[in-house]
Amino acid sequence: MATQTTYGTAFAASYLGMVANEEPNNLISRSVEGAAVGFGVVVKQGTADRGVAAATAANDVVRGITVRDQSTTDDEFAVGADALVMTRGVIWVTAGETVTAGSPAYMKVGTADAGKFMVTTTSNLAIPRAIFETSGAKDALVAVRLA
């Protein structure tokens, strides 16, 4: 029998779309519509009752944020796949600018950095009851709390 003799010592503390802690959360399963959706992405209601699609506009109705799925080799949910969507809890996302813990969270829409999380309100999608749980610089992974 083979014995493992080397071990990794520098593991990532978090991954995009990963549940951030062990406190209670609420995850729903929804079918992806239109185009594949990555992990840690804000999703809106799709055309089907149990469907979702990536949010892209400042007036979209937010259903939640997609949760990383360890059973897939891709970093996204394919069209027709069942995506886990967090509606309450704490999840890791990508900051689109420097963010501060306790600030309301918005999603950048439109141009560069679309889909990343912001504190800037202008022309961005408000995420109801979402605040930054951790602070971070642009492009860092930060935790967002959905209440």
Side-chain angles (χ1 to χ4, degrees):
M1 179 168 97
T3 302
Q4 183 174 351
T5 59
T6 58
Y7 302 90
T9 58
F11 301 104
S14 59
Y15 293 94
L16 183 60
M18 187 173 92
V19 176
N21 60 29
E22 294 296 319
E23 67 186 67
N25 59 56
N26 190 60
L27 305 177
I28 60 175
S29 179
R30 294 292 184 261
S31 182
V32 174
E33 299 178 359
V37 176
F39 302 145
V41 173
V42 176
V43 290
K44 64 180 178 180
Q45 179 65 43
T47 56
D49 288 352
R50 296 182 53 82
V52 292
T56 57
N59 62 348
D60 284 342
V61 177
V62 175
R63 289 305 311 256
I65 300 173
T66 54
V67 177
R68 175 172 288 279
D69 183 350
Q70 296 298 99
S71 68
T72 182
T73 57
D74 299 321
D75 285 337
E76 62 186 18
F77 295 104
V79 173
D82 287 330
L84 282 175
V85 177
M86 180 178 280
T87 61
R88 182 176 56 86
V90 184
I91 188 167
W92 291 101
V93 298
T94 304
E97 62 187 357
T98 299
V99 300
T100 305
S103 297
Y106 297 83
M107 187 198 82
K108 178 72 173 173
V109 296
T111 59
D113 295 322
K116 293 183 180 180
F117 289 71
M118 317 286 279
V119 292
T120 303
T121 61
T122 307
S123 301
N124 292 324
L125 172 61
I127 304 169
R129 302 173 318 281
I131 62 168
F132 288 99
E133 189 75 2
T134 61
S135 301
K138 182 178 182 189
D139 295 324
L141 289 178
V142 293
V144 166
R145 175 177 298 279
L146 300 173

